[in-house]
Each structure stands twice: as C-alpha cells, then as structure tokens.
Amino acid sequence: MNRRKAAVASSVAPATLLGDIRVLIDAARQRAASAVNAELTLLFWRIGQRIHTEVLAGQRAGYGDEILPTLAAQLVQDYGRSFADKNLRRMVQFAATYTDEPIVVTLSRQLSWSHFVALLPLKDPLQRDYYAQMANIERWSVRTLRERIDSMLYERTALSQKPGETIAQELATMRDAQRMSPALVMRDPYILDFLGLRDTWQEGDLEAAIIREMESFLLELGAGFSFVARQKRIPIDDDDFHLDLLFYNRKLRRLVAMELKVGDFKAAYKGQMELYLRWLDKHEREPEEASPLGIILCTGKKREQIELLELDKSGIHVAEYLTALPPRGVLVERLQQATQRAQLQIEQRKTDNE
C-alpha cells in the first residue's frame, strides 16, 4: 500500500513541481523585464534632458540641428538603432514634456517607452495625464492606448467638460487614492459602431445587439463595468417595471442602471430613471456601496432641457450613442462644440454666484 502511494506521489509531484517552477520563472522574467524597461525609459529621459539642456537650449537650437545627426551616427555605431536621430529627438521631446525626474521615475515603472512615444504628441497636460493614468490602471497595451487616443476617449468623458482645476483634482485623486469618480467613467457620445445596426431599429433591436456584443460594449463603457441583468424586474405597488440593462462598476462601487432610447431625450425619462434608482437604492444596494447611477442613452439630446432638469444632481447621465463612427474631423468639431457649451455654462454659473 505504501509503495502504491509512493508511486502515485512520484508521478504527480514532478508535474506539480514543474508548474510551480514555471510560475516562479515567469514572474521573475516579468519583474526583470519591468526593471529593464524602467531603466531604459529613465536613460532615454536623461539623454533627452542632457541634449535639451546643453545643446538645444536658448539660442543654440540651430547648432543642435547640426550636431544631432553627428551624435546619432556615433551612438548608432556604438549602441544600435535605438539611438538614431529620430529617436534622439523623441528623447528630447520626452525630457521637455516631462520636466520632473521623480515623476518620470514613477511613470517608468508603470509604462513602457512605447507608451510614452504614443503620449508625447498630446499637447494638453491634463489630457496626457488622463491617458497615462488610465493606461496604468487598466493595463492598456500600446495598441489599446493608441486606439483610445484615436477614439478621443478623454474628450468624450464627462470629466473633460469640467473646469481645469476640477480635472486636475480628480486626476490627482485617481493617481493618489486609486479612486475614480463618475465623471471619469461617464462618456458622451458612446461609439457603438460594433453593434452592426443599420438604417432603422427599435429599442429591442438595440438591446439585443448589446447583449450579443456584450464584451465590446463593456469595453466601450469603460473601466470596471460588469453586466448584471437584462430587463431587470422592478415591482412597485401592483405594477411591474423593467429596467433595460443593469451593470455594476467595480471602480465606483455602485450599480449603474441603463435605459436605451431611440430618438431624442424627453423630460419624462428623468422621472422614470429616478424611480428605478430609488428602488435599486432601497432593495439592491449593499451597505458598502454608493448610491446607484443612471445612464440614459439616446440618439439625440435636448441640451437645454437636460440643463434645466439638473440631472447630475439626481445621479443621471444622459448621453448620445453613435452606431457608426463619424469621420474624425466631424467628431472633433462635435466635441469642441460640447466643450465650448460646457465652458459657457461654467462661466454663467460663476456670474450667477457673484
């Protein structure tokens, strides 16, 4: 009997041992790769900072145009193509963009050099900070980061419509406390081109398409969303109501109710969503969770109605959804107009409070 147990153990132990050792090797390799990446990124910053300070600063920029190709040629010969002229200029841009070395040290542990190359063209520091933090928190690949930038994710967040000091404060909270606010999560518009909806459709068609493409829909919704229920039954008195979609957001630690509408926003939608949110708050919210939020997705928005209804005070976010991705120029113009309207509202509130 003991020999049988020993035989079984001898056949199982090597496989278990092999698996454990593989985990150790993979973890060590990952730590080593992260350490190498951090050192390389910091090296590139220091090279860029040295060139920027000693060669390109002040009136010596013209001289830099002459010396950089020569410097690059010598470095390439000694250390390879990573130090070509184009890459040296990126390093200089890196040092000029991120001027504080301790910040670079921290970021270099979180993002690769390729991530920084994708971030450098962004001119707005708040926009750049948003993408850097989201790439770190969500573990975005470089490809995903570029896709999020191309889709103008930051410009579509509710956060981007707030005053600069508020944006900076919320980004600081996300960085220091690893806590996200609804403004960081909510978007407008949502791009739902992956649903395959064409010509005309009903709300049921939209809901069915979302369920079919739930993985892609969750990616578009953003950080921390998980699907809970479809057509959530809400019994009140002798009536049964049905909420289109119910989600939970792990980052916000709260339920998120979603109603799908075909056509423009209507004021009556507010009362309907408030009813659902209060029921969820009473019957579904766990003690450690925050109050539920609501999202009303429409194909069109009545902006003055939405402003007068003060939906944000009820925890309700109204957003448009696009079933086809418009040309980038059209999307840029549309988001710029939304930003201008938000700025006018902010200025008007300041005037009213004076």
Side-chain angles (χ1 to χ4, degrees):
M1 190 69 175
N2 290 336
R3 279 184 293 179
R4 181 181 299 176
K5 288 182 179 180
V8 172
S10 64
S11 63
V12 174
T16 303
L17 182 61
L18 177 61
D20 292 343
I21 291 175
R22 281 175 171 167
V23 169
L24 291 172
I25 293 172
D26 290 341
R29 283 179 171 176
Q30 186 174 2
R31 289 194 301 270
S34 297
V36 169
N37 167 75
E39 284 297 324
L40 279 176
T41 301
L42 190 56
L43 170 65
F44 293 159
W45 181 86
R46 286 172 175 162
I47 291 172
Q49 197 269 345
R50 182 70 181 271
I51 295 172
H52 180 67
T53 301
E54 298 198 12
V55 178
L56 303 182
Q59 301 300 315
R60 304 181 68 187
Y63 174 62
D65 290 337
E66 298 177 7
I67 197 174
L68 269 181
T70 303
L71 179 63
Q74 293 171 335
L75 290 173
V76 167
Q77 183 177 353
D78 294 337
Y79 300 105
R81 297 296 304 170
S82 295
F83 301 93
D85 183 37
K86 180 179 180 181
N87 289 336
L88 287 184
R89 295 182 187 277
R90 279 179 176 161
M91 295 174 200
V92 173
Q93 185 183 6
F94 182 33
T97 302
Y98 294 91
T99 58
D100 192 342
E101 184 171 357
I103 291 178
V104 176
V105 171
T106 300
L107 289 175
S108 67
R109 300 191 190 106
Q110 303 165 351
L111 305 175
S112 71
W113 170 244
S114 297
H115 283 97
F116 285 109
V117 171
L119 292 170
L120 289 178
L122 302 176
K123 303 302 181 185
D124 181 355
L126 294 173
Q127 177 191 28
R128 194 166 53 242
D129 188 20
Y130 167 82
Y131 283 115
Q133 291 196 49
M134 290 298 294
N136 173 43
I137 292 173
E138 292 296 300
R139 299 292 188 266
W140 288 348
S141 66
V142 176
R143 178 179 177 180
T144 300
L145 172 60
R146 293 186 186 278
E147 288 174 349
R148 297 293 187 267
I149 293 173
D150 288 343
S151 73
M152 304 188 71
L153 177 60
Y154 171 74
E155 291 85 348
R156 293 191 287 122
T157 63
L159 180 70
S160 68
Q161 307 301 315
K162 294 182 177 294
E165 57 270 21
T166 302
I167 298 175
Q169 182 178 1
E170 295 210 15
L171 289 175
T173 300
M174 179 168 65
R175 179 181 61 251
D176 300 334
Q178 296 291 296
R179 188 172 68 249
M180 299 179 70
S181 69
L184 279 159
V185 175
M186 301 302 180
R187 303 175 184 177
D188 184 28
Y190 288 88
I191 309 297
L192 308 183
D193 54 331
F194 53 84
L195 295 181
L197 296 171
R198 298 290 182 269
D199 301 323
T200 60
W201 62 89
Q202 302 298 318
E203 289 170 7
D205 301 323
L206 175 61
E207 181 182 316
I210 288 173
I211 297 298
R212 185 178 63 248
E213 301 292 341
M214 181 57 71
E215 183 177 356
S216 297
F217 187 68
L218 289 174
L219 288 174
E220 174 59 17
L221 283 183
F225 277 93
S226 58
F227 176 62
V228 176
R230 173 188 188 184
Q231 289 297 308
K232 171 71 174 177
R233 178 174 171 266
I234 297 180
I236 302 175
D237 295 325
D238 297 326
D239 297 318
D240 277 351
F241 300 88
H242 292 87
L243 171 66
D244 288 339
L245 299 170
L246 181 62
F247 298 90
Y248 181 77
N249 189 281
R250 182 169 50 86
K251 303 290 185 181
L252 301 177
R253 297 182 181 178
R254 54 177 57 177
L255 291 165
V256 180
M258 181 175 291
E259 279 291 286
L260 309 172
K261 305 297 181 183
V262 175
D264 291 340
F265 171 81
K266 294 181 174 58
Y269 296 161
K270 177 189 178 185
Q272 179 188 32
M273 180 58 80
E274 284 180 331
L275 182 67
Y276 294 166
L277 292 180
R278 288 171 182 168
W279 187 90
L280 290 169
D281 189 69
K282 180 178 180 180
H283 296 284
E284 296 285 337
R285 180 167 70 91
E286 297 294 336
E288 70 276 7
E289 294 175 358
S291 298
L293 295 175
I295 301 177
I296 302 173
L297 285 185
C298 306
T299 48
K301 291 174 67 174
K302 297 291 187 180
R303 300 187 184 279
E304 188 174 1
Q305 289 185 30
I306 293 170
E307 182 182 351
L308 291 172
L309 289 170
E310 297 183 321
L311 293 172
D312 55 333
K313 294 182 179 179
S314 301
I316 299 173
H317 177 67
V318 179
E320 294 178 323
Y321 61 92
L322 305 178
T323 57
L325 184 63
R328 183 174 176 82
V330 174
L331 185 58
V332 169
E333 182 179 359
R334 184 170 181 169
L335 293 173
Q336 285 176 342
Q337 291 173 352
T339 300
Q340 291 170 358
R341 285 193 295 268
Q343 290 174 344
L344 288 174
Q345 291 175 9
I346 292 168
E347 292 301 324
Q348 185 61 49
R349 288 170 187 166
K350 288 182 179 178
T351 302
D352 293 342
N353 292 331
E354 289 176 355

